[in-house]
Amino acid sequence: MSVSKEVKRITTHVLQEMKQKGEKIAMLTAYDYSLATIVDESGIDIILVGDSASNVMAGHETTLPITLDQMIYHASSVVRAVKKALVVVDLPFGSYQGNSKIALESTIRIMKESGAHAVKLEGGVEIEDSIKRILSAGVPVMGHLGLTPQSIYKFGTYTVRAREEAEANKLLSDARLLEELGCFAVVLEKIPSELTKKVAKQISMPTIGIGAGPHADGQVLVLHDMLGITKSFQPRFLRRYLNLFETIKNATEHYIQDVKSGDFPSDREAY
Ligand code: KIV
């Protein structure tokens, strides 16, 4: 008789408990079935189907072009792979800003068509109505403050945000608002460590940092960046755990050589 090992799924409540216990939360992106299977088996807490798919999967310069249909395609591939992690999906640019009815419609499509567990939206008070409406439908919401790549043309650069007092104060008040509204967590992207420390202390929902220093309750990286698949993206906050670009290139060159020389396939690899 085989004994099936029960997998304890990560929920928003588990994440809240982790913050209370001071246990750090690990989050990574994934966009496809095969890599999501590996990442989930490794024991990651949250998988983000990020709109960074626009960059690393589709080769766009920004996250703006990716569509709701494309996000649903990526999300449903990931959901089919995942047994343990909480799967959060980015609402793409244009699917929630300025119109809470459209925000809810976009969210419902993501939840129904992909089977994901939560959505993430960029912004604070500007998108309050959209967040309220999504939460009222019972869908967990993750916020995203600091550098919000969907607003890149407003900022003009990808440099560190909220260094100035006014912007830092707005970020703090947005974080408090997201918590009051009922978001279950917030991503803090590219802000000074000391500001992250303040936010993490002042709010009880978990903060997940990227380029936001060590004081966040958890960390997130883009999978293709930490695996070294993307080569040219080299911000200071990025720790690369592999150089898969070179590893895959070497393997591919080896394969080409074997095919050209007639070494592959051998007799053992034929029928
Ligand atoms: O789209 C994404 O991958 C993200 C992370 C960088 C947080 O939003």
Side-chain angles (χ1 to χ4, degrees):
M1 190 180 78
S2 72
V3 182
S4 68
K5 235 168 104 197
E6 206 182 297
V7 182
K8 189 170 178 257
R9 285 211 84 115
I10 303 290
T11 63
T12 56
H13 298 284
V14 170
L15 299 173
Q16 184 65 56
E17 281 167 17
M18 288 171 78
K19 166 140 183 166
Q20 279 157 8
K21 289 191 247 168
E23 204 181 311
K24 293 277 187 182
I25 297 164
M27 169 163 144
L28 278 173
T29 65
Y31 319 98
D32 69 281
Y33 177 84
S34 302
L35 286 179
T37 302
I38 302 172
V39 172
D40 189 54
E41 267 198 31
S42 73
I44 202 80
D45 299 308
I46 308 174
I47 292 183
L48 172 67
V49 184
D51 58 359
S52 48
S54 180
N55 309 107
V56 300
M57 299 301 287
H60 292 297
E61 226 170 84
T62 72
T63 57
L64 275 65
I66 200 160
T67 66
L68 185 58
D69 283 337
Q70 288 164 343
M71 288 304 295
I72 290 170
Y73 168 77
H74 288 297
S76 53
S77 308
V78 167
V79 167
R80 280 192 287 276
V82 169
K83 296 191 171 66
K84 178 172 181 274
L86 186 86
V87 179
V88 182
V89 181
D90 265 335
L91 279 175
F93 178 67
S95 73
Y96 63 95
Q97 294 96 338
N99 187 327
S100 65
K101 187 168 175 285
I102 289 178
L104 181 58
E105 282 166 8
S106 306
T107 301
I108 287 175
R109 279 205 59 206
I110 287 179
M111 301 301 283
K112 265 187 185 291
E113 295 176 39
S114 77
H117 311 129
V119 293
K120 175 163 85 59
L121 288 72
E122 294 182 6
V125 65
E126 313 78 16
I127 55 160
E128 181 176 353
D129 290 344
S130 292
I131 293 175
K132 271 189 189 155
R133 202 148 177 173
I134 295 167
L135 286 167
S136 73
V139 178
V141 172
M142 177 181 268
H144 185 152
L145 300 172
L147 175 63
T148 46
Q150 290 179 11
S151 310
I152 184 57
Y153 293 118
K154 181 174 128 194
F155 297 142
T157 87
Y158 286 100
T159 52
V160 177
R161 306 301 311 169
R163 281 198 197 277
E164 306 299 327
E165 200 182 336
E167 200 183 339
N169 287 340
K170 178 178 183 316
L171 191 144
L172 254 174
S173 101
D174 279 341
R176 285 197 210 102
L177 174 69
L178 295 183
E179 167 150 86
E180 270 167 38
L181 293 176
C183 292
F184 72 90
V186 61
V187 166
L188 301 175
E189 181 163 352
K190 254 189 155 178
I191 62 169
S193 279
E194 282 308 304
L195 180 57
T196 305
K197 193 175 183 179
K198 243 188 195 170
V199 177
K201 237 184 185 169
Q202 289 192 16
I203 61 175
S204 58
M205 72 176 164
T207 54
I208 314 285
I210 174 163
H215 304 294
D217 305 295
Q219 297 292 328
V220 57
L221 285 176
V222 168
L223 185 65
H224 291 57
D225 296 336
M226 63 82 83
L227 293 178
I229 296 175
T230 48
K231 208 165 73 156
S232 54
F233 185 62
Q234 292 179 337
R236 166 170 161 178
F237 69 77
L238 174 61
R239 185 177 293 182
R240 289 197 195 278
Y241 289 82
L242 278 176
N243 184 352
L244 267 193
F245 187 97
E246 284 307 320
T247 307
I248 294 172
K249 191 166 159 239
N250 288 343
T252 310
E253 284 169 356
H254 197 166
Y255 166 75
I256 294 168
Q257 217 175 38
D258 286 354
V259 170
K260 304 252 181 211
S261 69
D263 182 73
F264 177 79
S266 66
D267 287 347
R268 277 194 305 117
E269 289 156 331
Y271 297 96

